[in-house]
Amino acid sequence: MNQHTLSVLVENKAGVLARVSSLLARRGFNIHSLAVGPTADEGISRMTIVVDAPELEQVKKQLHKLINVVKITELDRATAVEREISLIRVSTDGQKRSDVLEVATLFDAVAVDVGVSTIMFLVTGSPEKVNDFVELVRPYGIADLVKSGRVALARDQKSRKLRAS
Amino acid sequence: MNTISGAQAVIKALEREGVDIVFGVPGGAILPAYDPLYDSPIRHVLARHEQGAGHMAEGYAWATGKVGVCIVTSGPAATNLVTPLANALMDSIPIVAITGQVATTSVGNDAFQEAYTTGITMNATKHNYFVTNPDDIPDVIHEAFHIAATGRPGPVLVDLPKDILNAHLKWHKPPKLDLPGYKPTVEGHPRRILEAIKLIESAHRPVIYAGGGIIKANAADQLRMFAEQTNAPVVTTLMGLGGFPGDHDLFLGMPGMHGTYAATTAIQKADLLIALGVRFDDRVTGNPDFFAPHASVIHVDVDPAEIGKVRQAEIPIVGDVGRILEQMLEAWAKRPAPDHKEWLEKVNSWRTDNPVRFDQQPDGPLKPQYVIEELYRRTGGDAIVVSGVGQHQMWTALHWKFSRPREWINSGGLGTMGFGVPAAIGAKAGAPERTVYLIDGDGSFQMTHQELATASAEGFPIKIALINNGVHGMVRQWQTLFYGSRYSGSELGRDTVNFPMLAEAMGCVGMRVETPGEVGPAIEKSLSINDRPVLIEFVVDPDEMVFPMVPAGGSNDQIILGPEDLE
Ligand SMILES: Cc1ncc(C[n+]2csc(CCOP(=O)(O)OP(=O)(O)O)c2C)c(N)n1
């Protein structure tokens, strides 16, 4: 599947999310994930849209037809930071608790709710990291799982070499 | 502080936009706005059905080039508008629809006459507004007109809850445009223009493929000069008819499913397609894999999303097609017209060897094409022609020589039966000094014929040639060709309705014509009546089919020219 990440600035007006999702649906583009939130400019929100589409050009052009869409940037995985958050409630019956906690430590997952037979973890990171964590704890039994949808921003190309990671 | 009501602001804002006529039907939620309308110089035309009001606004916009306006109430009235909105979106017609809505306190409660109008019309409009603050009204109306008329034109809807119409605001001027995401490109990129010129210069078999964008951009003059300078034959789509003179030496007609042999074949053999304000509709391309297989494509369109949507363009140029043609003409200025002698001879021979034909026997059944050609002769081609959807629409496109823009009004993209009567009224409202002739089918006509009452009550003396074949002819043609002549659900019956009496009952003049000899006199009579609408029912051969034809999804190399090709 051809997955693309779009970072879309939209006017902060009622119904914009409905317009975007309904346009994508009408055109037959499948939305893999969609995350919306405010930006530093209170009139503008940012949507991070991950779409499955063979031909991204049409997706971008169609989105541009929406009057409330201000700017669309396609993010390249190599030059963007992409993050997801997940909350996962894992079964920790009997012997499993210390094993699960050990896996969580490796992934910097934080225990945010501890029960008698389950622990809820918060894990943050690249979509791959979050996925890997989910896969590693899956054998212990996942009681509940929620993902935030992806958020992403392009890296600062000019100062890139100054950074360590 | 001087305040006015939201409703007064709406009417004042319409006046400020230069609106002189609106088409509508009142009702509870929009009533506040009808009150100040009573005192306004804006004329209100009371339609019989909201679909009619919407198509009237479209006919008006099409005939005048201005924004058409319709105004209706909430719920069922707004849902009745969905078809004209979708039609305007497909055919890029600038209209503004004003809808009433239940009070904000009731919105979402399944209140009486409530429908989620902005949600329902989200994909049937270029943009829509749900107004929740009366202070926004002046700016929203101004934005609506701006969006409807600029870039790729289209329908914009403004939904106004009753309490917002009744609330008060301080009127301000001038209005603001706050559209950070909306900046249509007008100028073509200079480098692309030069690339295009080079490609045109090196082409041997160029074809100009021009569409509705030429009409919308008022670019007919530029198109003619450009075609003459580059000496390239021209085809225009259904929507582009009249964008290039129909009797010009370089004109080949309309291409596609029911296009002329010359137009369709020229595209198939071309080495360069200069696509101007067209969207490569499937009714033109047939199966796109076989469309214009030898041609490079220069695609000019104001809507970037049209470029590359169906066919990749070697040279994409985004902008206003009229402005871009001017830029191309400037860039071309010092060059001589290329000599395409061989190519032009070839396309000319296709044109003369394969004319659009039909067979009218003096005492045989009346042929619809004969009626249309007589109409053309007797009006001298000097009329605004409107049509419904079906065979009669295609026959009109094939047998009328449109020579000027905005003289051909029909529903192309959505193919809306019932478009004709109200659109003709809107056209007459916009061009009262012109003869407006509607060529309608008995099926299409019966979808909105109640608007005849509007035409006579409001004084719009339109003329109607009702092509009565007693069937849904276009559907029946497909059943004949592809379903073994099993006429399931396509027969209306030729004598079910007494159309002249129906017309008379609604204050129009009605006539009936059954033989070729009666056609001319009846048309002459219709042209002499100008105080009332006139309807002539032409009882025609139900077996007549539209040819040429390329079956849906087929290759445009396989054209059926007439019934003799069917065996
Ligand atoms: C609103 C609507 N419903 C159905 C159709 C499908 N349709 C296309 S052409 C046609 C028949 C048109 O019949 P008529 O108006 O009598 O014209 P004719 O083809 O006989 O000239 C139909 C039913 C349509 N285009 N629009």
Side-chain angles (χ1 to χ4, degrees):
Chain A
M1 188 53 73
N2 277 312
Q3 247 184 33
H4 304 273
T5 307
L6 292 177
S7 184
V8 183
L9 292 177
V10 297
E11 284 184 88
N12 199 352
K13 294 205 165 142
V16 175
L17 176 60
R19 285 179 203 281
V20 168
S21 54
S22 122
L23 177 130
L24 293 172
R26 150 145 205 249
R27 298 279 167 183
F29 305 125
N30 186 35
I31 302 173
H32 181 78
S33 110
L34 199 167
V36 201
T39 64
D41 176 345
E42 64 175 50
I44 300 286
S45 295
R46 187 187 296 276
M47 296 187 180
T48 307
I49 310 175
V50 184
V51 281
D52 302 326
E55 229 254 277
L56 195 67
E57 205 49 37
Q58 259 304 306
V59 183
K60 288 198 283 186
K61 285 173 165 178
Q62 293 296 339
L63 279 176
H64 248 305
K65 290 177 70 144
L66 295 177
I67 306 290
N68 299 134
V69 168
V70 179
K71 188 163 186 248
I72 302 174
T73 322
E74 181 181 356
L75 296 179
D76 174 0
R77 302 218 74 179
T79 56
V81 176
E82 296 183 297
R83 291 293 181 268
E84 271 177 16
I85 290 178
S86 187
L87 293 171
I88 309 162
R89 194 192 317 277
V90 186
S91 157
T92 52
D93 274 343
Q95 288 301 311
K96 292 191 240 166
R97 177 180 292 256
S98 62
D99 293 357
V100 169
L101 283 170
E102 203 171 308
V103 175
T105 316
L106 290 173
F107 279 80
D108 292 325
V110 185
V112 286
D113 180 53
V114 181
V116 183
S117 59
T118 66
I119 302 180
M120 190 204 297
F121 292 101
L122 165 77
V123 59
T124 322
S126 69
E128 291 77 13
K129 174 185 163 186
V130 173
N131 262 347
D132 288 349
F133 180 68
V134 172
E135 289 317 315
L136 278 174
V137 297
R138 191 184 296 281
Y140 300 98
I142 298 174
D144 279 308
L145 169 74
V146 61
K147 283 186 181 182
S148 61
R150 202 171 301 176
V151 294
L153 271 185
R155 291 182 192 274
D156 180 342
Q157 297 296 322
K158 282 167 239 140
S159 51
R160 197 153 147 240
K161 49 186 164 305
L162 299 178
R163 211 174 11 233
S165 74
Chain B
M1 187 169 77
N2 258 338
T3 65
I4 60 174
S5 73
Q8 286 171 321
V10 171
I11 303 304
K12 211 166 156 161
L14 294 179
E15 288 170 8
R16 179 162 66 187
E17 296 301 325
V19 173
D20 49 17
I21 191 165
V22 298
F23 306 91
V25 181
I30 198 65
L31 263 182
Y34 266 77
D35 193 60
L37 186 56
Y38 200 59
D39 299 323
S40 167
I42 296 175
R43 176 175 177 194
H44 178 263
V45 172
L46 176 60
R48 265 45 181 178
H49 186 297
E50 289 83 2
Q51 184 187 354
H55 292 320
M56 286 174 205
E58 293 178 300
Y60 174 90
W62 202 320
T64 60
K66 296 195 274 184
V67 176
V69 182
C70 53
I71 176 165
V72 308
T73 195
S74 63
T79 55
N80 275 347
L81 262 192
V82 173
T83 299
L85 289 169
N87 189 75
L89 187 66
M90 284 286 251
D91 284 350
S92 310
I93 307 169
I95 62 170
V96 167
I98 309 282
T99 48
Q101 181 55 276
V102 301
T104 48
T105 45
S106 306
V107 162
N109 275 348
D110 301 330
F112 176 64
Q113 289 193 333
E114 186 194 357
Y116 177 27
T117 304
T118 45
I120 290 170
T121 61
M122 200 171 272
N123 284 317
T125 53
K126 181 172 174 184
H127 191 55
N128 62 19
Y129 292 90
F130 178 57
V131 182
T132 52
N133 182 348
D135 295 333
D136 294 341
I137 290 175
D139 294 336
V140 162
I141 301 274
H142 184 55
E143 282 184 11
F145 276 79
H146 177 74
I147 292 170
T150 54
R152 178 175 183 171
V156 180
L157 179 140
V158 181
D159 198 32
L160 293 154
K162 190 166 187 178
D163 54 332
I164 303 297
L165 289 170
N166 285 329
H168 277 69
L169 65 134
K170 201 161 171 267
W171 177 258
H172 65 264
K173 57 182 176 186
K176 286 197 307 282
L177 273 184
D178 180 20
L179 299 166
Y182 181 70
K183 296 188 187 64
T185 307
V186 176
E187 292 282 307
H189 196 291
R191 202 184 62 233
R192 290 272 187 251
I193 301 275
L194 284 180
E195 286 170 8
I197 293 292
K198 283 212 188 93
L199 196 57
I200 295 168
E201 232 181 355
S202 62
H204 299 291
R205 300 186 308 279
V207 171
I208 296 172
Y209 160 39
I214 294 292
I215 315 268
K216 303 292 152 36
N218 295 316
D221 290 341
Q222 292 93 318
L223 173 61
R224 191 179 39 75
M225 283 190 272
F226 177 72
E228 286 169 359
Q229 296 270 307
T230 56
N231 211 11
V234 178
V235 307
T236 58
T237 65
L238 180 70
M239 304 306 288
L241 289 173
F244 191 77
D247 51 5
H248 198 288
D249 263 357
L250 288 168
F251 186 58
L252 304 182
M254 168 175 90
M257 177 178 280
H258 291 302
T260 67
Y261 181 86
T264 308
T265 306
I267 289 180
Q268 292 309 91
K269 305 291 181 200
D271 65 353
L272 173 65
L273 216 52
I274 307 165
L276 306 171
V278 288
R279 54 191 186 84
F280 291 77
D281 183 78
D282 53 272
R283 284 294 184 264
V284 168
T285 63
N287 185 335
D289 293 344
F290 304 116
F291 179 70
H294 314 293
S296 323
V297 172
I298 297 168
H299 192 173
V300 178
D301 206 291
V302 73
D303 180 355
E306 286 308 334
I307 296 178
K309 191 181 80 177
V310 175
R311 170 74 177 249
Q312 221 45 51
E314 276 67 29
I315 303 181
I317 312 180
V318 177
D320 177 86
V321 63
R323 181 64 200 120
I324 287 164
L325 282 170
E326 279 162 17
Q327 289 176 278
M328 299 230 260
L329 283 165
E330 282 160 32
W332 188 269
K334 285 162 286 277
R335 289 158 224 250
D339 171 27
H340 292 311
K341 189 156 173 291
E342 223 174 290
W343 174 232
L344 289 175
E345 270 169 16
K346 189 164 239 164
V347 298
N348 277 332
S349 72
W350 291 330
R351 186 171 50 183
T352 37
D353 295 348
N354 305 281
V356 180
R357 53 205 147 92
F358 64 96
D359 181 23
Q360 175 68 68
Q361 296 297 324
D363 45 3
L366 183 57
K367 298 289 177 172
Q369 301 96 322
Y370 174 73
V371 173
I372 291 161
E373 293 203 345
E374 271 299 291
L375 273 166
Y376 179 75
R377 263 194 296 279
R378 306 260 171 182
T379 56
D382 183 16
I384 294 177
V385 178
V386 185
S387 88
V389 168
Q391 292 179 310
H392 62 282
Q393 176 189 26
M394 292 300 122
W395 285 317
T396 309
L398 289 167
H399 292 271
W400 195 283
K401 281 195 190 56
F402 293 98
S403 52
R404 282 175 296 264
R406 305 196 180 282
E407 292 191 349
W408 167 233
I409 299 177
N410 78 127
S411 168
L414 199 64
T416 310
M417 288 170 73
F419 175 80
V421 178
I425 292 171
K428 188 69 184 172
E433 72 295 347
R434 300 294 310 273
T435 299
V436 174
Y437 229 117
L438 164 64
I439 299 175
D440 216 351
D442 51 324
S444 294
F445 177 75
Q446 289 184 75
M447 289 201 177
T448 49
H449 69 200
Q450 71 271 43
E451 301 303 342
L452 279 189
T454 308
S456 58
E458 299 268 352
F460 296 116
I462 56 169
K463 303 177 199 307
I464 302 171
L466 184 69
I467 308 294
N468 183 7
N469 50 9
V471 294
H472 281 152
M474 188 56 100
V475 168
R476 190 172 187 273
Q477 172 164 348
W478 286 48
Q479 289 174 330
T480 306
L481 297 175
F482 312 118
Y483 294 90
S485 298
R486 289 155 53 86
Y487 299 125
S488 176
S490 59
E491 316 216 299
L492 293 153
R494 247 197 324 208
D495 302 310
T496 321
V497 180
N498 184 328
F499 288 106
M501 266 176 79
L502 176 96
E504 299 275 349
M506 294 212 218
C508 313
V509 174
M511 294 182 253
R512 184 178 171 106
V513 166
E514 296 179 60
T515 62
E518 298 167 282
V519 173
I523 293 172
E524 292 298 338
K525 184 168 173 205
S526 77
L527 292 173
S528 71
I529 299 169
N530 284 308
D531 59 342
R532 267 173 300 168
V534 185
L535 178 143
I536 314 175
E537 176 195 15
F538 294 98
V539 180
V540 303
D541 184 356
D543 289 327
E544 193 60 27
M545 288 199 256
V546 185
F547 293 111
M549 177 173 193
V550 178
S555 154
N556 279 355
D557 291 322
Q558 271 114 45
I559 303 174
I560 303 169
L561 279 171
E564 67 283 357
D565 286 359
L566 289 172
E567 302 317 315

